[in-house]
């Protein structure tokens, strides 16, 4: 039986968007539990600072996740991966009628296609090893919709359906695939929305949860660490809200 001390020890992970926000919380948590982590992020400086803080277990590949060829070669060069956390994402905060096809393509490229690309790159190695954990960061927007985030919500809905499909195709290889749906989490992404929407938006976000507060990257990282661990081997195809009860609060 897997003990609490060795549930993640010695495993090898990639975390997209691991330089800041929720991703940085996930990197810190996995490294603390003994996992080797490769951060894939555009922001090389923030990623290097985090790696220096975490010590020898964390390394960095500066890559734009919308460059699917680059994603593939970085992962191929890195070697086998046990855990893939598809966390990178962007939102736009604009009513749908004010968005353009270029906006849609950019949001889908980061929030959905990059998830395909990383998963496609890591699955053959996981299948050969007979072990793997895919954890995809969706959003409560996939369940509830989002005012000012229609394309984002659609992409996240796609992430949920994709994850379930991957869980079905890969269960026989000992690979699990699950989604985490954060609610409002205090990160640079959320702060950029508040900069546009003002303090009223912040209060509305807090009020949309049962617990009446924003979440933290650590709140999400704790759920991800469980789903990524050896001890979660009988959990697959699931969607876990980490949103202060937002799904229930919305009725
Ligand atoms: N913060 C929230 O309230 C919230 C709520 C629900 C879901 N989420 C989801 O959680 C995930 C993390 O969000 P966050 O709030 O930490 O975001 P964030 O903006 O704070 O951090 C995102 C990270 O992804 C990186 N990134 C963005 N585009 C990239 C690209 N093209 N290539 C490589 N790296 C790229 C950024 O450099 C950054 O380090 C996202 O998928 C987001 O949709 C966040």
């Amino acid at each position: 039986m897997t003990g609490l001390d060795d549930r993640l020890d010695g495993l090898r992970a990639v975390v997209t968007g691991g330089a800041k926000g929720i991703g940085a919380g996930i990197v810190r948590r996995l490294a603390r539990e003994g996992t080797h982590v490769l951060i894939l992020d555009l922001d090389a400086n923030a990623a290097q600072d985090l790696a220096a803080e975490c010590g020898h277990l964390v390394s960095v590949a500066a890559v734009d996740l919308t460059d699917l060829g680059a994603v593939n070669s970085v992962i191929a060069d890195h070697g086998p991966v046990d855990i893939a956390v598809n966390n990178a994402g962007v939102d736009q905060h604009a009513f749908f009628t004010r968005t353009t096809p270029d906006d849609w393509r950019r949001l889908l490229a980061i929030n959905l296609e990059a998830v395909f690309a990383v998963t496609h790159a890591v699955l053959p190695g996981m299948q050969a090893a007979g072990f793997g954990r895919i954890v995809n960061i969706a959003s409560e927007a996939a369940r509830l919709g989002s005012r000012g985030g229609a394309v984002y919500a659609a992409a996240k809905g796609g992430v949920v359906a994709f994850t379930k499909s991957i869980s079905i195709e890969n269960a026989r290889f000992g690979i699990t695939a699950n989604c985490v749906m954060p609610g409002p989490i205090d990160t640079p992404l959320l702060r950029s929305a508040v900069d546009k929407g003002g303090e009223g938006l912040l209060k509305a976000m807090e009020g949309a949860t049962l617990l009446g507060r924003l979440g933290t990257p650590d709140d999400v990282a704790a759920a991800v660490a469980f789903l990524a661990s050896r001890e979660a081997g009988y959990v697959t195809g699931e969607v876990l809200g980490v949103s202060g009860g937002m799904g229930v609060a919305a009725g």
Side-chain angles (χ1 to χ4, degrees):
M1 198 178 182
T2 309
L4 279 181
D5 290 344
D6 60 2
R7 64 182 197 150
L8 282 156
D9 196 45
L11 295 177
R12 297 153 301 187
V14 292
V15 178
T16 71
K20 294 194 289 267
I22 292 171
I26 294 167
V27 170
R28 285 192 181 93
R29 178 65 189 243
L30 293 180
R32 208 172 80 210
E33 295 209 37
T35 303
H36 298 262
V37 184
L38 175 67
I39 299 172
L40 302 185
D41 205 294
L42 266 181
D43 189 339
N45 289 339
Q48 293 292 0
D49 288 350
L50 180 59
E53 173 199 317
C54 293
H56 70 283
L57 286 173
V58 177
S59 54
V60 174
V63 64
D64 182 343
L65 292 156
T66 63
D67 180 345
L68 303 186
V71 169
N72 207 37
S73 62
V74 162
I75 292 176
D77 290 349
H78 179 65
V81 168
D82 305 298
I83 300 165
V85 182
N86 285 302
N87 161 78
V90 294
D91 199 352
Q92 191 184 14
H93 321 303
F95 285 118
F96 182 63
T97 49
R98 297 188 191 151
T99 65
T100 67
D102 279 346
D103 297 331
W104 311 340
R105 281 189 278 272
R106 188 179 61 87
L107 285 172
L108 290 172
I110 301 172
N111 292 308
L112 190 54
E113 273 193 2
V115 179
F116 298 165
V118 170
T119 307
H120 197 263
V122 299
L123 272 176
M126 291 178 174
Q127 290 176 352
F131 178 89
R133 300 279 184 266
I134 311 274
V135 185
N136 293 334
I137 308 301
S139 167
E140 283 287 3
R143 174 159 42 187
L144 303 172
S146 169
R147 181 192 298 271
V151 178
Y152 172 81
K156 293 299 192 181
V159 169
V160 172
F162 175 69
T163 308
K164 290 183 180 179
S165 306
I166 293 300
S167 75
I168 295 165
E169 290 184 7
N170 289 279
R172 69 198 167 98
F173 297 107
I175 300 167
T176 65
N178 293 285
C179 263
V180 170
M181 277 186 174
I185 309 296
D186 199 352
T187 68
L189 180 90
L190 179 135
R191 290 289 158 185
S192 71
V194 170
D195 286 347
K196 279 193 181 176
E199 280 299 300
L201 178 62
L202 186 61
K203 292 283 163 230
M205 287 177 177
E206 290 169 343
T209 71
L210 287 185
L211 297 175
R213 68 165 174 89
L214 298 183
T216 67
D218 287 349
D219 289 325
V220 181
V224 171
F226 168 66
L227 292 170
S229 73
R230 295 182 176 95
E231 69 177 346
Y234 201 53
V235 181
T236 196
E238 297 292 346
V239 180
L240 176 60
V242 181
S243 58
M246 200 178 192
V248 180

Short mmCIF file of all heavy atoms in Angstrom, two decimals, residues 16-24 40-43 46 63-66 86-91 110-111 137-141 152 156 181-190 205, ligand 1:
data_model
loop_
_atom_site.label_atom_id
_atom_site.label_comp_id
_atom_site.label_asym_id
_atom_site.label_seq_id
_atom_site.Cartn_x
_atom_site.Cartn_y
_atom_site.Cartn_z
N THR A 16 2.57 22.65 -17.01
CA THR A 16 2.53 23.80 -17.93
C THR A 16 2.05 25.03 -17.16
O THR A 16 1.24 24.93 -16.23
CB THR A 16 1.59 23.54 -19.13
OG1 THR A 16 0.24 23.54 -18.70
CG2 THR A 16 1.92 22.22 -19.82
N GLY A 17 2.59 26.18 -17.57
CA GLY A 17 2.21 27.42 -16.87
C GLY A 17 2.62 27.37 -15.41
O GLY A 17 1.94 27.94 -14.55
N GLY A 18 3.74 26.70 -15.14
CA GLY A 18 4.15 26.50 -13.75
C GLY A 18 4.92 27.65 -13.13
O GLY A 18 5.33 27.56 -11.98
N ALA A 19 5.11 28.73 -13.88
CA ALA A 19 5.94 29.82 -13.35
C ALA A 19 5.21 30.69 -12.34
O ALA A 19 5.82 31.25 -11.44
CB ALA A 19 6.43 30.70 -14.51
N LYS A 20 3.88 30.80 -12.49
CA LYS A 20 3.14 31.75 -11.65
C LYS A 20 1.80 31.14 -11.23
O LYS A 20 1.37 30.11 -11.75
CB LYS A 20 2.85 33.03 -12.45
CG LYS A 20 4.11 33.81 -12.80
CD LYS A 20 3.78 35.21 -13.28
CE LYS A 20 3.14 35.23 -14.66
NZ LYS A 20 4.08 35.38 -15.76
N GLY A 21 1.12 31.83 -10.33
CA GLY A 21 -0.26 31.50 -10.00
C GLY A 21 -0.45 30.07 -9.53
O GLY A 21 0.36 29.52 -8.75
N ILE A 22 -1.52 29.44 -10.00
CA ILE A 22 -1.86 28.08 -9.59
C ILE A 22 -0.73 27.11 -9.94
O ILE A 22 -0.37 26.23 -9.15
CB ILE A 22 -3.18 27.65 -10.27
CG1 ILE A 22 -4.35 28.46 -9.70
CG2 ILE A 22 -3.42 26.15 -10.09
CD1 ILE A 22 -5.66 28.28 -10.46
N GLY A 23 -0.16 27.29 -11.14
CA GLY A 23 0.91 26.38 -11.58
C GLY A 23 2.10 26.41 -10.63
O GLY A 23 2.68 25.37 -10.30
N ALA A 24 2.46 27.61 -10.15
CA ALA A 24 3.58 27.71 -9.22
C ALA A 24 3.24 26.99 -7.91
O ALA A 24 4.10 26.33 -7.31
CB ALA A 24 3.91 29.19 -8.96
N LEU A 40 7.01 24.07 -17.93
CA LEU A 40 6.93 24.59 -19.30
C LEU A 40 6.19 25.92 -19.23
O LEU A 40 5.01 25.96 -18.88
CB LEU A 40 6.14 23.63 -20.20
CG LEU A 40 6.64 22.19 -20.36
CD1 LEU A 40 5.79 21.46 -21.39
CD2 LEU A 40 8.09 22.15 -20.75
N ASP A 41 6.89 27.01 -19.53
CA ASP A 41 6.25 28.33 -19.40
C ASP A 41 6.95 29.33 -20.30
O ASP A 41 8.15 29.23 -20.57
CB ASP A 41 6.33 28.80 -17.94
CG ASP A 41 5.23 29.79 -17.59
OD1 ASP A 41 5.22 30.92 -18.14
OD2 ASP A 41 4.37 29.45 -16.75
N LEU A 42 6.17 30.32 -20.73
CA LEU A 42 6.69 31.46 -21.51
C LEU A 42 7.60 32.33 -20.67
O LEU A 42 8.55 32.90 -21.19
CB LEU A 42 5.50 32.36 -21.89
CG LEU A 42 4.77 32.24 -23.18
CD1 LEU A 42 3.68 33.30 -23.20
CD2 LEU A 42 5.72 32.41 -24.34
N ASP A 43 7.26 32.48 -19.41
CA ASP A 43 7.94 33.43 -18.54
C ASP A 43 9.16 32.76 -17.91
O ASP A 43 9.11 32.23 -16.80
CB ASP A 43 6.96 33.93 -17.47
CG ASP A 43 7.54 35.09 -16.67
OD1 ASP A 43 8.79 35.25 -16.67
OD2 ASP A 43 6.76 35.83 -16.06
N ALA A 46 10.46 34.16 -14.31
CA ALA A 46 9.67 33.74 -13.13
C ALA A 46 9.87 32.24 -12.89
O ALA A 46 9.95 31.79 -11.74
CB ALA A 46 8.19 34.07 -13.35
N VAL A 63 9.05 27.82 -23.15
CA VAL A 63 8.38 27.45 -24.40
C VAL A 63 7.01 28.12 -24.47
O VAL A 63 6.34 28.29 -23.45
CB VAL A 63 8.24 25.89 -24.49
CG1 VAL A 63 7.36 25.32 -23.40
CG2 VAL A 63 7.73 25.45 -25.85
N ASP A 64 6.65 28.52 -25.70
CA ASP A 64 5.29 29.02 -25.93
C ASP A 64 4.44 27.79 -26.26
O ASP A 64 4.66 27.12 -27.27
CB ASP A 64 5.29 30.01 -27.10
CG ASP A 64 3.90 30.57 -27.35
OD1 ASP A 64 2.90 29.99 -26.87
OD2 ASP A 64 3.81 31.59 -28.05
N LEU A 65 3.46 27.52 -25.41
CA LEU A 65 2.66 26.29 -25.55
C LEU A 65 1.79 26.29 -26.80
O LEU A 65 1.23 25.25 -27.16
CB LEU A 65 1.80 26.08 -24.30
CG LEU A 65 2.63 25.76 -23.05
CD1 LEU A 65 1.86 26.13 -21.79
CD2 LEU A 65 3.01 24.29 -23.02
N THR A 66 1.68 27.45 -27.45
CA THR A 66 0.91 27.46 -28.70
C THR A 66 1.77 26.99 -29.87
O THR A 66 1.27 26.79 -30.97
CB THR A 66 0.35 28.87 -29.02
OG1 THR A 66 1.44 29.76 -29.20
CG2 THR A 66 -0.54 29.36 -27.90
N ASN A 86 -1.65 19.78 -17.02
CA ASN A 86 -1.95 20.81 -18.03
C ASN A 86 -2.68 21.95 -17.34
O ASN A 86 -3.90 21.91 -17.13
CB ASN A 86 -2.81 20.20 -19.14
CG ASN A 86 -2.01 19.33 -20.07
OD1 ASN A 86 -1.03 19.79 -20.68
ND2 ASN A 86 -2.38 18.05 -20.17
N ASN A 87 -1.89 22.94 -16.98
CA ASN A 87 -2.42 24.03 -16.15
C ASN A 87 -2.48 25.37 -16.88
O ASN A 87 -3.35 26.18 -16.58
CB ASN A 87 -1.52 24.16 -14.90
CG ASN A 87 -1.70 25.50 -14.22
OD1 ASN A 87 -2.67 25.72 -13.52
ND2 ASN A 87 -0.75 26.41 -14.45
N ALA A 88 -1.57 25.61 -17.84
CA ALA A 88 -1.52 26.95 -18.46
C ALA A 88 -2.86 27.31 -19.09
O ALA A 88 -3.51 26.47 -19.72
CB ALA A 88 -0.42 26.99 -19.51
N GLY A 89 -3.26 28.54 -18.91
CA GLY A 89 -4.50 29.00 -19.52
C GLY A 89 -4.55 30.51 -19.51
O GLY A 89 -3.86 31.15 -18.72
N VAL A 90 -5.35 31.07 -20.42
CA VAL A 90 -5.57 32.52 -20.42
C VAL A 90 -7.06 32.78 -20.61
O VAL A 90 -7.77 31.99 -21.22
CB VAL A 90 -4.78 33.24 -21.54
CG1 VAL A 90 -3.28 33.15 -21.31
CG2 VAL A 90 -5.14 32.70 -22.91
N ASP A 91 -7.50 33.91 -20.06
CA ASP A 91 -8.89 34.35 -20.25
C ASP A 91 -8.83 35.72 -20.93
O ASP A 91 -7.76 36.31 -21.06
CB ASP A 91 -9.60 34.43 -18.90
CG ASP A 91 -11.12 34.43 -19.04
OD1 ASP A 91 -11.63 34.51 -20.18
OD2 ASP A 91 -11.80 34.36 -18.00
N ILE A 110 -4.24 28.05 -26.56
CA ILE A 110 -3.60 27.89 -25.24
C ILE A 110 -4.42 26.97 -24.34
O ILE A 110 -3.89 26.05 -23.71
CB ILE A 110 -3.37 29.25 -24.56
CG1 ILE A 110 -2.51 30.14 -25.45
CG2 ILE A 110 -2.72 29.06 -23.19
CD1 ILE A 110 -2.38 31.56 -24.99
N ASN A 111 -5.73 27.23 -24.27
CA ASN A 111 -6.55 26.52 -23.28
C ASN A 111 -6.91 25.10 -23.69
O ASN A 111 -7.26 24.29 -22.83
CB ASN A 111 -7.84 27.31 -23.01
CG ASN A 111 -7.58 28.61 -22.29
OD1 ASN A 111 -6.92 28.64 -21.27
ND2 ASN A 111 -8.07 29.70 -22.84
N ILE A 137 -6.30 21.20 -15.71
CA ILE A 137 -6.95 22.28 -14.97
C ILE A 137 -8.00 22.92 -15.88
O ILE A 137 -7.66 23.61 -16.84
CB ILE A 137 -5.94 23.34 -14.49
CG1 ILE A 137 -4.78 22.68 -13.73
CG2 ILE A 137 -6.65 24.38 -13.63
CD1 ILE A 137 -5.16 21.89 -12.50
N ALA A 138 -9.26 22.64 -15.57
CA ALA A 138 -10.37 23.26 -16.31
C ALA A 138 -10.80 24.51 -15.55
O ALA A 138 -9.96 25.30 -15.12
CB ALA A 138 -11.50 22.25 -16.49
N SER A 139 -12.10 24.67 -15.33
CA SER A 139 -12.61 25.83 -14.58
C SER A 139 -14.07 25.58 -14.28
O SER A 139 -14.76 24.89 -15.05
CB SER A 139 -12.49 27.10 -15.43
OG SER A 139 -13.24 28.14 -14.86
N GLU A 140 -14.56 26.17 -13.19
CA GLU A 140 -16.01 26.12 -12.93
C GLU A 140 -16.78 26.75 -14.09
O GLU A 140 -17.96 26.49 -14.28
CB GLU A 140 -16.36 26.82 -11.62
CG GLU A 140 -16.05 26.02 -10.37
CD GLU A 140 -17.00 24.84 -10.11
OE1 GLU A 140 -17.91 24.59 -10.93
OE2 GLU A 140 -16.81 24.16 -9.08
N ALA A 141 -16.08 27.58 -14.90
CA ALA A 141 -16.74 28.18 -16.07
C ALA A 141 -17.25 27.10 -17.02
O ALA A 141 -18.23 27.32 -17.75
CB ALA A 141 -15.77 29.10 -16.81
N TYR A 152 -13.55 31.11 -23.51
CA TYR A 152 -12.77 30.46 -22.43
C TYR A 152 -13.57 29.29 -21.85
O TYR A 152 -13.05 28.18 -21.70
CB TYR A 152 -12.48 31.51 -21.37
CG TYR A 152 -11.85 31.02 -20.10
CD1 TYR A 152 -10.48 30.78 -20.02
CD2 TYR A 152 -12.62 30.82 -18.94
CE1 TYR A 152 -9.89 30.35 -18.84
CE2 TYR A 152 -12.04 30.39 -17.75
CZ TYR A 152 -10.67 30.16 -17.71
OH TYR A 152 -10.10 29.72 -16.54
N LYS A 156 -12.70 25.30 -21.87
CA LYS A 156 -12.59 24.51 -20.63
C LYS A 156 -13.57 23.34 -20.66
O LYS A 156 -13.27 22.25 -20.14
CB LYS A 156 -12.83 25.40 -19.41
CG LYS A 156 -11.74 26.44 -19.19
CD LYS A 156 -10.37 25.82 -18.97
CE LYS A 156 -9.33 26.81 -18.47
NZ LYS A 156 -8.01 26.19 -18.29
N MET A 181 -11.45 21.65 -11.36
CA MET A 181 -12.16 22.87 -11.77
C MET A 181 -12.01 23.92 -10.68
O MET A 181 -12.78 23.92 -9.71
CB MET A 181 -13.66 22.57 -11.89
CG MET A 181 -14.10 21.96 -13.16
SD MET A 181 -15.91 21.90 -13.06
CE MET A 181 -16.30 21.34 -14.67
N PRO A 182 -11.04 24.81 -10.82
CA PRO A 182 -10.94 25.87 -9.81
C PRO A 182 -12.11 26.85 -9.92
O PRO A 182 -12.67 27.07 -11.00
CB PRO A 182 -9.63 26.58 -10.17
CG PRO A 182 -8.90 25.65 -11.07
CD PRO A 182 -9.95 24.87 -11.79
N GLY A 183 -12.45 27.43 -8.78
CA GLY A 183 -13.32 28.63 -8.76
C GLY A 183 -12.40 29.83 -8.76
O GLY A 183 -11.31 29.79 -9.32
N PRO A 184 -12.81 30.93 -8.10
CA PRO A 184 -11.95 32.13 -8.11
C PRO A 184 -10.74 31.95 -7.21
O PRO A 184 -10.86 31.85 -6.00
CB PRO A 184 -12.88 33.23 -7.57
CG PRO A 184 -13.90 32.51 -6.76
CD PRO A 184 -14.07 31.15 -7.37
N ILE A 185 -9.57 31.90 -7.83
CA ILE A 185 -8.32 31.67 -7.11
C ILE A 185 -7.45 32.93 -7.26
O ILE A 185 -7.33 33.47 -8.37
CB ILE A 185 -7.55 30.45 -7.70
CG1 ILE A 185 -8.46 29.22 -7.81
CG2 ILE A 185 -6.30 30.16 -6.87
CD1 ILE A 185 -8.99 28.65 -6.52
N ASP A 186 -6.86 33.35 -6.16
CA ASP A 186 -6.12 34.61 -6.16
C ASP A 186 -4.77 34.45 -6.87
O ASP A 186 -3.80 33.97 -6.28
CB ASP A 186 -5.91 35.08 -4.72
CG ASP A 186 -5.58 36.55 -4.66
OD1 ASP A 186 -5.35 37.17 -5.74
OD2 ASP A 186 -5.53 37.11 -3.55
N THR A 187 -4.72 34.83 -8.14
CA THR A 187 -3.52 34.69 -8.99
C THR A 187 -3.43 35.92 -9.89
O THR A 187 -4.38 36.71 -9.99
CB THR A 187 -3.65 33.45 -9.91
OG1 THR A 187 -4.69 33.72 -10.87
CG2 THR A 187 -3.95 32.18 -9.16
N PRO A 188 -2.32 36.06 -10.63
CA PRO A 188 -2.23 37.18 -11.59
C PRO A 188 -3.39 37.19 -12.60
O PRO A 188 -3.88 38.27 -12.98
CB PRO A 188 -0.89 36.92 -12.29
CG PRO A 188 -0.06 36.22 -11.24
CD PRO A 188 -1.04 35.34 -10.49
N LEU A 189 -3.86 35.99 -13.02
CA LEU A 189 -4.98 35.92 -13.97
C LEU A 189 -6.24 36.56 -13.38
O LEU A 189 -6.90 37.39 -14.01
CB LEU A 189 -5.27 34.46 -14.34
CG LEU A 189 -6.41 34.22 -15.32
CD1 LEU A 189 -5.87 34.22 -16.74
CD2 LEU A 189 -7.08 32.88 -15.06
N LEU A 190 -6.55 36.20 -12.13
CA LEU A 190 -7.75 36.76 -11.50
C LEU A 190 -7.57 38.25 -11.26
O LEU A 190 -8.50 39.03 -11.49
CB LEU A 190 -8.02 36.02 -10.18
CG LEU A 190 -9.24 36.54 -9.41
CD1 LEU A 190 -10.08 35.37 -8.90
CD2 LEU A 190 -8.85 37.43 -8.25
N MET A 205 -17.20 37.68 -6.97
CA MET A 205 -16.53 36.37 -7.04
C MET A 205 -16.53 35.69 -5.68
O MET A 205 -16.81 34.50 -5.55
CB MET A 205 -15.08 36.54 -7.50
CG MET A 205 -14.93 36.87 -8.98
SD MET A 205 -13.16 37.12 -9.29
CE MET A 205 -13.18 37.40 -11.04
N1 LIG B 1 -7.26 32.03 -11.15
C1 LIG B 1 -8.50 31.61 -11.25
O1 LIG B 1 -9.41 32.16 -10.63
C2 LIG B 1 -8.83 30.41 -12.13
C3 LIG B 1 -10.14 29.92 -12.08
C4 LIG B 1 -10.48 28.82 -12.85
C5 LIG B 1 -9.53 28.23 -13.65
N2 LIG B 1 -8.26 28.71 -13.69
C6 LIG B 1 -7.30 28.05 -14.55
O2 LIG B 1 -6.14 27.72 -13.83
C7 LIG B 1 -5.01 27.74 -14.69
C8 LIG B 1 -3.94 28.63 -14.09
O3 LIG B 1 -4.46 29.94 -13.97
P1 LIG B 1 -3.74 31.08 -13.12
O4 LIG B 1 -4.82 31.89 -12.51
O5 LIG B 1 -2.68 30.52 -12.28
O6 LIG B 1 -3.09 31.91 -14.35
P2 LIG B 1 -1.85 32.91 -14.34
O7 LIG B 1 -2.07 33.84 -15.48
O8 LIG B 1 -1.69 33.49 -12.99
O9 LIG B 1 -0.61 31.95 -14.69
C9 LIG B 1 -0.63 31.26 -15.92
C10 LIG B 1 0.78 30.81 -16.28
O10 LIG B 1 0.70 30.26 -17.61
C11 LIG B 1 1.75 30.80 -18.40
N3 LIG B 1 1.33 30.86 -19.80
C12 LIG B 1 0.28 31.53 -20.32
N4 LIG B 1 0.25 31.38 -21.65
C13 LIG B 1 1.29 30.58 -21.98
C14 LIG B 1 1.80 30.07 -23.21
N5 LIG B 1 1.23 30.36 -24.38
N6 LIG B 1 2.90 29.30 -23.17
C15 LIG B 1 3.52 29.01 -21.99
N7 LIG B 1 3.08 29.48 -20.80
C16 LIG B 1 1.98 30.25 -20.81
C17 LIG B 1 1.99 32.20 -17.83
O11 LIG B 1 3.30 32.68 -18.14
C18 LIG B 1 1.80 31.95 -16.33
O12 LIG B 1 3.00 31.55 -15.70
C19 LIG B 1 -5.53 28.22 -16.06
O13 LIG B 1 -5.78 27.13 -16.89
C20 LIG B 1 -6.83 28.92 -15.70
O14 LIG B 1 -7.72 28.93 -16.77
C21 LIG B 1 -7.89 29.80 -12.95
#
